[in-house]
Amino acid sequence: MNKLIVKIGLLPSLFFGLNGLYGQNTDSTKASKIDEIVVTAYGVKKEKKSLGYSFQDVKGQTLVDAKETNVTNALAGKVAGLQVIKGGFGPGSSSKINLRGFNSFKGDNQPLIVVDGVPLSNSLGTKPKQNDGAFNNDFWNPDLDMGNGLSDLNSEDIESVSVLKGGAASALYGSRGGNGVVLITTKSGKKKGGLGISYSTSLGFETIFMKPNMQKSFSQGSNGVANPANSDNTTSWGPALDESMKRYDNLKSFFKTGLNSQHNLSFQSNLGEGTSLYTSAGYLHDNSQIPNSKYERFNFMAKMNSTFGANKRWTSEIKAQYISTKANNRPSGGQGDGNFYPAILLMPQNINIADYREGQTQNNITSRWITPNGINPYWSAYNSLNADKKDRFLLNGYLKYQFNDWLSSDVRLGTDFYSLNADARVWTGSSRRNSYSTSNEKFYENNYIASITAKKDNLFGKWGGSLSVYGQMMETRTKALYFTTQNLIIPNAFNVKNTSDNAAAANFEVDLWKKINSVFAAAEVNYDGYWFINATTRTDWSSTLAIENRSYIYNSISTSLVLTDMLNKMNGFNSKFLTFAKLRAAYAVTGNGLDPYELYNNYTLSTDPNGHITLSRQKILYNSNLKAEKLKTFEVGTDLKFFNRISLDVSYFNNSATGQLIDLPMNPLSGYEKMKISSGGLRNSGFEFVLNTDILRKENFTWNVNANLSLLKSNVEEINGNVSKYPIGGFDNVTFYTEVGRPYGAIYGTKFLKVEDPNSPYFGKLIVGSNGLPQGTPDMQYLGDQTPRSLFGFTSSFVYKNIGLSFLIDGRIGGKFFSATQLALQKAGLASDTAPGGRRDNFVLDAVVQQNGGYSSNTKEITQQDYWAAVTAGNLGITEQNIYDATNIRLRNIQLSYNLPKSIFEKMALQSAKVSFTANNVWMIYSKAKGIDPESVFAINSNAVGFENMAFPTTRSYLFTITLGF
């Protein structure tokens, strides 16, 4: 059967000759002067009016102007229904994209990233260290966030980004396009005046964007009394600070002004008739605001396009991209010793952290801190070190032959390959163990795709059409080795052999291998250039499914009716008011596939403390009869243009995801903890609005406004039988679920114990103990969910002569998140809530005490310290206290530019010059999170994205850029 599958995957290549990976580069229909040509699935260029689904693209220059270190972040606020979710751990941390809500209980939920027809791995966050795909997102000591794959790209090389959100738009990609597709097209050589050389350089400064709201009235101590010298207690429940006493901003003192520098050099030109060349080199250096932490990226690209042969029938494209990234001392998350941020944040404000810097920035020295057992964060920054380097290649070749005016064939071969080497070292000198870890990871994905395309207008009268048939073979593999030891025999001799404690040594090996062979087709029928019907079908054969279930089919159909064109051709309709009107509708079936090695149970190999080989059974009971998840999507919408300068796109979508691949908890007495099943349903529906208008369009002045708004409703419809909740992540007594009847990501935790009898005169009041302190419920209860109800972006751009000005305001409405940072501040007596109005007067809670089966009013006086000790007891306290509304609105970006007049360069080699200023994260206009950035996510590779835990402060950046053209 396997051989048969391979042969089927090869048939299109053998039968149809040389066609294209991710499609031909020809237009599906002839475009009129006002019709916009866009890049759709598999690189097919189409008239935008022919599309039966919503479509949005972002120009590459928009991403360049944003000046984001991670190009993923530059998409925030620019596409309706697109949410950028960010990690909170420095310039090299991950960001991920979500389109139209989460569709999978357990899956990745990210769209497929395709660069010039080659899929790009966008893995993010921590790395799985075993074949079960589990990530270490431990609350105390998680693995490092190694960044996401899309962050490797240089925005200067990007021509455009096309976002395919609906199933009909992405159905051609099969199971890999179930969560949408982001198509990235890089620049090609174009003939320009002068030498075709462009150089830009930027210098940026990074400062802290947001700080938690903190009290500034009380010093170190407990119960209003200062702690004795050498006390291990560093909480801020001590005596009041009078006006003569100095308060220290330790966050400002520790975090320096970060420096960001970028250099980009490109050359593009026509090399004779029919051949163009684009080459570029880029360098990014982000010397973070975090001491001794930096991120570097080198980008090199060469791309050649040619048309040749008799009648220019041959078309070719060859591209090579090399990316080298280096990171030194990525900050760790969690609240263990590996993360030094809590020591800074929770330091009493009457103590100056700068007094503890001297002598702490060298290796092999002893940590000096305010407590005997504490670890100096300066020592950690220079003695708890990590480094990683990734070398990545994106290669593709494309060749097309045009047989005649209606038949063509092409082929594209592409690969994404990278090698990642990393190590971490903890030196002697603190209570942390002298340790060493090292790892090597290699990844590749190869794609071979061929297609043949026939297209012709006026086939039968006014009917025209096109048909493309494709074949694809995809192979991807990840191999990795990890070694770590906690006890070194010779201090600070960082070598894998320098250990005698086998119990403290850990070795992990990962080998994940997957293949998908596919055949698929796309057809279009159009009538007189105003009515279009498009259909696709795709069959995948996946190596991760059993032979009898290996084949699965995805289909789509969409239609577009251009009313204005139809009325114009029927009766000469021509309106200056309504210059364009289109109705569209689409239906598709896509899905999500199974990861490698989730069909059959086997044993894992390990060693015991004495070095003996042991075999252990896996904790998940697998099922060889599993099938791929299915996502059924329906979409209708309209595109309108008024006065030929105002455009409005409105869409309604309804997505139903069924057959969820989940690990259902089992009774441990069965010998397994979980069982892999296919069950459950989830529905996401909503509206999207996109408005673009030229408010003013004069000779020397233009004013453009672009706005987008998405409304989302999420509902879990089924789990499995009588099971109503399925955990998707969480920590301690905060758990995130998919729960029947609720939106995705229901948050459960403890609440304040209150009177729940609606007939009681005390209904709703707190129930306190005899000590007058609040209590938590004994069980976990629903506290909200992480799903936003709305996302929006508003961009306003002005151009006056050679001066340009634009700004972006964006935000999210609805959803909640839990902040462990606020809890830590409350426990330490530093949160602003612990000193209302700058005072700490004793008080009596408006509550009741439970006595003899009834209630009586509380009269017990308590202190602020006792109150917050009760609220924050345990790891995460009474959960309800630190659930915050994730609604936030911010001035995301401001850009100001000036193009020097061309008359200056008439007698110079210089052809153009532009100076610009960019500011990011300018102003948090609205937020209820008390100084915590709601965008900071702890475990970003988890679907529980509503959890924040000691995230480093997000940054505000100012960048100055000079761009020269020769």
Side-chain angles (χ1 to χ4, degrees), residues 505-519:
N507 299 275
F508 303 100
E509 182 174 5
V510 173
D511 189 355
L512 299 172
W513 197 358
K514 182 176 182 177
K515 292 184 179 182
I516 298 178
N517 294 325
S518 312
V519 291

Side-chain angles (χ1 to χ4, degrees), residues 36 48 56-57 59 62 78 640-650 689-697 703-709 793-797:
E36 182 181 356
K48 193 172 183 179
Q56 273 190 265
D57 57 359
K59 301 302 181 184
T62 303
K78 296 181 174 65
L640 305 172
K641 288 184 181 178
F642 305 95
F643 305 108
N644 208 27
R645 65 164 59 187
I646 301 172
S647 66
L648 175 66
D649 294 355
V650 181
F689 306 87
V690 180
L691 174 70
N692 187 286
T693 176
D694 291 329
I695 296 178
L696 289 175
R697 191 165 56 192
W703 177 16
N704 175 268
V705 169
N706 181 282
N708 65 79
L709 171 68
F794 176 87
T795 302
S796 185
S797 304

